[in-house]
Amino acid sequence: MKKYLLPLLATISLSLSAGCWKKVDQISTLNEQRVYLIISEYGNRYYHMKNDLYRSGVYYSIPDPSSNDYFNNYFTFQLKNAGDGYWNLYNVCRGSYVNATVYSPISLIDKPDGVEPSKWLIDDKYIKSHIADNLNLVFVLRNRNYYGLVSESVIKKASHAKPYEYLYPKIYELSTLTLDENSDFPSYLSSFDVDSVVLKRTFVDNVKNTLILPFDVPNYKKVFGDNVVAYEYSCVEGNTINFTEINSDKLNANTPYIIKGSSFNVSPYIIDATTIHPVSSGQKYNGNVIGVYKSMQAKNGYILTVNDIMKCKESNEKPLLIQPYRWYFNSNISNAKLNLIDNHVSSISKIKYDHSLKKVFDIQGRVVSEDYSNFGSLPKGIYIVGGKKVVKH
């Protein structure tokens, strides 16, 4: 059994547990710095595309349903400016551009390798793609049954049809993004802005919790707790992994931290207007720290547990999975120890040195001397020696 370790917009909106979406009132406000949802409305129901296959049908719901986690798993997309008023559509959930094809049947597909992304023109009524001379394909919901493409000429001839025969999709903009430690972070194309983030993440009081996020967190103590302290990776001395208390109130995007406190605020955590940055799970930071944005197994490194630090191997009988928005330390160090360096400094004359620890690091964790006996020749400043901050006057 697997284990887990520890912008003009209309006032109409859909309040969703996986995000809050606002209906775009003016198409001129569309831009590359937002995430959008394609959805069709008829009566009191909303219709949106399933994620598995474009032609596999639709899901419909009444407004404000009790459970809406599925919205983040459907046709959400980002725009890329293709020039001359056209856009490329990038399907976030499928991690691919959306292309139109005239091959039978006319349909939407993931962009094939080696093929240019289709260009889409978006106006107040249509989302359409110009495929060939005199052939414009219009994106519609057909008979409330499935999304597909119809020739613009056919649409015009069908003006007498029943109102639900062809439903033109509307566009909603993501306002509030919810990130849950039990769900993988989506494969976004580029950075985008949101009005707020809701972070569902578990922290344990009085324990070293790992944290890495795809956005900045200003005033982190206000968000996570007044007595919470954040530490950033600085260096390795022998078999000791040092993390140093940060000097600011801001956590930076895609930076691994240890945060510790005697009383965390209750999850979920709300972070005001911020920019979300695309990331890849398993990406290295500062050389040895592996950020986790999608549930994954730690390989040949160290993970933090409630009992401090533990070695994990790829050959473990029971794979240890790390949930999103955490990290692990990838190293072959034997018997590694974790050291948190608080944000106070000691006088150099008061430090009793361990002669086995020869290196001197600057505050960014860079080696400035291979032997602390040369400390006297270094410029004035704050250094890390023997896992402690020391000041050179």
Side-chain angles (χ1 to χ4, degrees), residues 3 7 45 48 58 79 87 115 140 180 253 344 353 384 389:
K3 282 189 194 172
R45 295 189 182 275
H48 43 98
V58 298
L79 301 176
W87 302 96
V115 175
V140 293
D180 192 320
H344 61 264
Y353 294 112
I384 298 172
K389 277 186 178 181

Side-chain angles (χ1 to χ4, degrees), residues 59-316:
Y59 191 99
Y60 64 87
S61 67
I62 61 174
D64 297 321
S66 58
S67 176
N68 287 291
D69 290 334
Y70 49 71
F71 268 86
N72 258 11
N73 297 317
Y74 286 72
F75 196 54
T76 56
F77 67 97
Q78 290 182 274
L79 301 176
K80 182 179 179 183
N81 195 327
D84 299 323
Y86 285 87
W87 302 96
N88 301 134
L89 303 185
Y90 178 82
N91 189 329
V92 172
C93 302
R94 296 182 63 82
S96 176
Y97 285 102
V98 183
N99 271 24
T101 176
V102 294
Y103 298 111
S104 181
I106 294 175
S107 60
L108 299 162
I109 60 171
D110 289 337
K111 184 190 80 67
D113 292 340
V115 175
E116 290 294 319
S118 290
K119 296 180 179 181
W120 298 87
L121 185 64
I122 303 174
D123 59 30
D124 291 330
K125 186 175 183 180
Y126 295 145
I127 301 175
K128 60 185 179 181
S129 183
H130 182 71
I131 299 298
D133 291 340
N134 301 317
L135 180 58
N136 287 323
L137 298 180
V138 180
F139 191 123
V140 293
L141 174 64
R142 306 175 71 171
N143 297 312
R144 294 182 294 177
N145 187 25
Y146 66 92
Y147 279 103
L149 297 173
V150 178
S151 169
E152 187 175 24
S153 60
V154 172
I155 291 288
K156 291 178 178 179
K157 290 178 182 178
S159 59
H160 62 282
K162 296 177 182 179
Y164 57 78
E165 188 164 352
Y166 296 120
L167 292 179
Y168 307 112
K170 307 296 183 182
I171 297 179
Y172 284 74
E173 174 185 287
L174 180 61
S175 174
T176 299
L177 174 68
T178 293
L179 298 181
D180 192 320
E181 63 186 347
N182 295 310
S183 300
D184 291 345
F185 185 66
S187 299
Y188 292 108
L189 175 67
S190 57
S191 298
F192 63 94
D193 299 327
V194 291
D195 297 339
S196 62
V197 174
V198 175
L199 175 64
K200 297 179 179 180
R201 169 74 161 81
T202 302
F203 297 107
V204 181
D205 294 343
N206 300 309
V207 165
K208 302 178 184 72
N209 299 270
T210 67
L211 179 67
I212 188 167
L213 296 169
F215 53 87
D216 293 341
V217 182
N219 303 314
Y220 78 86
K221 289 178 179 288
K222 180 180 178 181
V223 174
F224 297 118
D226 290 336
N227 62 15
V228 171
V229 178
Y231 299 82
E232 185 176 359
Y233 171 70
S234 53
C235 61
V236 174
E237 292 180 281
N239 67 335
T240 301
I241 304 169
N242 291 310
F243 274 74
T244 304
E245 183 179 348
I246 65 174
N247 293 312
S248 71
D249 294 328
K250 176 185 174 184
L251 302 184
N252 295 316
N254 300 328
T255 302
Y257 294 99
I258 288 174
I259 63 173
K260 184 179 180 182
S262 59
S263 180
F264 281 86
N265 292 337
V266 178
S267 177
Y269 303 97
I270 310 299
I271 297 91
D272 292 333
T274 190
T275 298
I276 311 298
H277 301 281
V279 291
S280 59
S281 197
Q283 184 172 337
K284 282 189 177 182
Y285 301 89
N286 298 323
N288 293 315
V289 183
I290 308 297
V292 176
Y293 293 98
K294 296 183 179 181
S295 181
M296 63 181 293
Q297 180 184 353
K299 299 178 180 179
N300 296 326
Y302 288 90
I303 55 178
L304 270 63
T305 70
V306 292
N307 296 316
D308 203 21
I309 188 168
M310 183 179 79
K311 179 75 172 179
C312 58
K313 297 182 179 180
E314 199 168 0
S315 59
N316 283 359

Side-chain angles (χ1 to χ4, degrees), residues 33-59:
Q33 280 71 52
R34 287 283 179 171
V35 170
Y36 298 99
L37 173 71
I38 286 182
I39 194 166
S40 296
E41 304 171 31
Y42 184 72
N44 65 346
R45 295 189 182 275
Y46 295 93
Y47 298 79
H48 43 98
M49 182 177 296
K50 288 185 177 180
N51 182 34
D52 48 357
L53 292 172
Y54 289 111
R55 293 175 58 85
S56 67
V58 298
Y59 191 99

